[in-house]
Amino acid sequence: MSFLRRTGSRLASTVLFIAVLAAGYGIATITPDLAAEHRPFLIGGNLSEPIQTRLFEVKVTGVKFGSTVKVAGSLSAKPSPLATGGVWVLIHVKFSANSKPTRINYAALVSADGRTFLATDRVDQKIVIGGRELQPGIPAEGDALFEIPKSAATAGLVARFAAAEKYDVRKDAMAEVVLVPDGAAVFVDTSALAYDPAVKA
Amino acid sequence: MTPEELMSIPDGQHTATPPPAPKPKGWWRRNILALIGLVPVLALVIGIGFIDPFYRFWQAGPLRPVSADAQGIATIDGIQFRLEELTKVELKDFGGKAILLPVGTLAWKAVVEIKAPDQEKVGLCHFFVEDKAGKLYGDGPDELSKAKGATSFSTCTSSDEKASAAYRVTVYFLLPALAKPEAVRVTWITRYPDYIRLPARVR
């Protein structure tokens, strides 16, 4: 009897231990991971609509697609256009800080299939990637340039902007602007796009 | 052994009865050490959960003002700050031409007197103008980059290496014309969450 009781007790402990491990694994599997918990809060909008986030307001006023880009203000007298094996996406954007000096440290395009493309570093970007410190109530506008594969230049393409204070986009607002609405076609200009790195107030 | 035989055994020679089996320990007594050990483990788990938010949100920004006294002097780590003036200003470029500002904005100049026995302790700081709505404007904005005297590189040290312990630092700001300045702030990343707040007497 005593042997049976001891064996039963050990068996129950083992079953309980396995059940606790299984419950832990189940909880870890079905609940969001740390990256999902810390994800930025997306605030969506469309072209020409002002989108208000915690630190800034953004309005994308234009988007163009092209196979080459001419950069204004280049030191070379006749700058050769920048070519790409993919597609250049030129966005004209206007930012305004809400309550304190703010930089737009994060600018990216996200394709319909979820791929993320940061603003290109092949040209000087002065309005995004931390280039310009925006003062509250004093808007600034300019061009932002992205280089993406042809397969990403489809309906569902969006642009995302965040202040990324201390280069951290976690748990903060991020503006998301629909560049190519569902069902719309993308027209890729064969003539060179004109990119102007200057920021205008 | 019959009762008669038992009776015949002399006193003191009876066989001793076995002692009763010890009472089994209760659950609490069996697990007390593990329970005590659980307390620091739980504290550690909760503590780790607080470390990230603490550094990200509390020490990550200027949240606690060090205010000025009746003489307008605010002191931090033995360094004294006093706002000498905060005025609207017309800025010129290095050629003497007036700087063209964005429509609806005004340039402001702040002069801050600093008494720092050791300039290494003041080092790189940032200046802000705070308006009545609580909005902050940074010093040396890009819009003033062509203005003579304005620089985006802010510092609380004197430009004159041989300066005495008391000296003045001049910084420039760009504000919307409708903004009403209320105070000047001085911050250091290394002193977060503390910052200096100097109330303005706008001229």
Side-chain angles (χ1 to χ4, degrees):
Chain A
M1 183 64 188
S2 156
F3 171 76
L4 281 177
R5 278 187 66 184
R6 272 207 308 273
T7 309
S9 170
R10 280 179 190 158
L11 192 67
S13 299
T14 308
V15 169
L16 188 64
F17 181 68
I18 292 169
V20 168
L21 284 181
Y25 178 76
I27 290 168
T29 306
I30 62 171
T31 53
D33 62 10
L34 205 60
E37 278 180 10
H38 287 194
R39 70 191 181 282
F41 302 97
L42 290 177
I43 301 171
N46 296 306
L47 279 174
S48 303
E49 276 180 14
I51 299 172
Q52 194 66 241
T53 70
R54 182 178 71 91
L55 288 171
F56 65 92
E57 183 187 276
V58 57
K59 186 161 92 169
V60 174
T61 53
V63 56
K64 290 176 183 169
F65 298 83
S67 50
T68 53
V69 162
K70 248 184 202 169
V71 181
S74 171
L75 291 176
S76 160
K78 280 191 177 175
S80 52
L82 287 173
T84 176
V87 177
W88 287 114
V89 185
L90 180 69
I91 290 175
H92 193 78
V93 64
K94 187 174 184 179
F95 292 107
S96 178
N98 287 342
S99 59
K100 61 179 182 179
T102 301
R103 290 180 196 274
I104 307 302
N105 286 311
Y106 180 85
L109 298 190
V110 181
S111 63
D113 57 6
R115 286 175 289 165
T116 300
F117 307 94
L118 296 175
T120 183
D121 59 0
R122 290 180 64 186
V123 297
D124 277 347
Q125 303 261 12
K126 290 187 176 163
I127 195 146
V128 292
I129 326 184
R132 175 63 163 267
E133 187 173 70
L134 306 160
Q135 304 296 330
I138 305 173
E141 60 183 301
D143 292 338
L145 190 64
F146 302 82
E147 188 178 17
I148 65 172
K150 287 174 184 166
S151 61
T154 61
L157 185 70
V158 297
R160 289 181 180 171
F161 303 100
E165 281 190 294
K166 309 203 172 42
Y167 304 98
D168 192 347
V169 297
R170 292 184 297 166
K171 287 187 171 180
D172 202 353
M174 181 182 277
E176 183 179 87
V177 187
V178 177
L179 299 180
V180 187
D182 286 340
V186 170
F187 169 71
V188 180
D189 201 340
T190 49
S191 57
L193 302 176
Y195 169 73
D196 186 354
V199 176
K200 291 153 193 145
Chain B
M1 201 177 271
T2 62
E4 292 76 19
E5 285 172 333
L6 278 172
M7 291 294 287
S8 65
I9 295 173
D11 284 349
Q13 291 185 19
H14 287 286
T15 310
T17 51
K23 204 176 170 184
K25 287 179 183 175
W27 188 90
W28 287 104
R29 287 187 64 189
R30 275 187 285 125
N31 292 289
I32 189 70
L33 284 178
L35 288 170
I36 290 170
L38 207 56
V39 173
V41 172
L42 277 176
L44 194 67
V45 168
I46 294 166
I48 287 170
F50 272 104
I51 287 171
D52 182 48
F54 177 79
Y55 284 106
R56 285 191 65 218
F57 298 113
W58 177 238
Q59 288 208 320
L63 301 173
R64 192 165 54 197
V66 175
S67 300
D69 60 17
Q71 282 79 46
I73 298 169
T75 307
I76 189 167
D77 294 343
I79 310 154
Q80 293 185 343
F81 293 82
R82 192 176 68 85
L83 181 62
E84 201 164 273
E85 69 169 274
L86 179 62
T87 49
K88 291 173 198 163
V89 65
E90 282 185 12
L91 290 170
K92 294 191 169 146
D93 64 14
F94 289 88
K97 278 188 187 170
I99 291 284
L100 200 62
L101 299 176
V103 177
T105 63
L106 290 171
W108 288 76
K109 178 176 89 168
V111 179
V112 179
E113 188 185 42
I114 301 172
K115 280 185 187 168
D118 180 4
Q119 285 203 35
E120 281 188 12
K121 283 174 82 178
V122 283
L124 287 177
C125 63
H126 294 281
F127 292 91
F128 297 90
V129 162
E130 176 190 320
D131 73 7
K132 280 195 187 299
K135 293 182 178 178
L136 299 176
Y137 306 86
D139 69 300
D142 294 333
E143 290 87 344
L144 303 183
S145 58
K146 289 178 183 165
K148 191 178 176 186
T151 170
S152 58
F153 182 75
S154 49
T155 173
C156 280
T157 53
S158 168
S159 54
D160 180 7
E161 284 183 12
K162 291 175 185 169
S164 64
Y167 52 91
R168 290 176 179 83
V169 170
T170 303
V171 280
Y172 296 91
F173 304 89
L174 186 70
L175 274 68
L178 296 174
K180 295 189 184 336
E182 178 106 332
V184 169
R185 293 185 182 190
V186 191
T187 71
W188 298 261
I189 290 172
T190 50
R191 289 195 171 94
Y192 285 165
D194 294 330
Y195 69 91
I196 291 284
R197 187 177 185 279
L198 304 165
R201 288 183 294 273
V202 176
R203 286 185 221 166

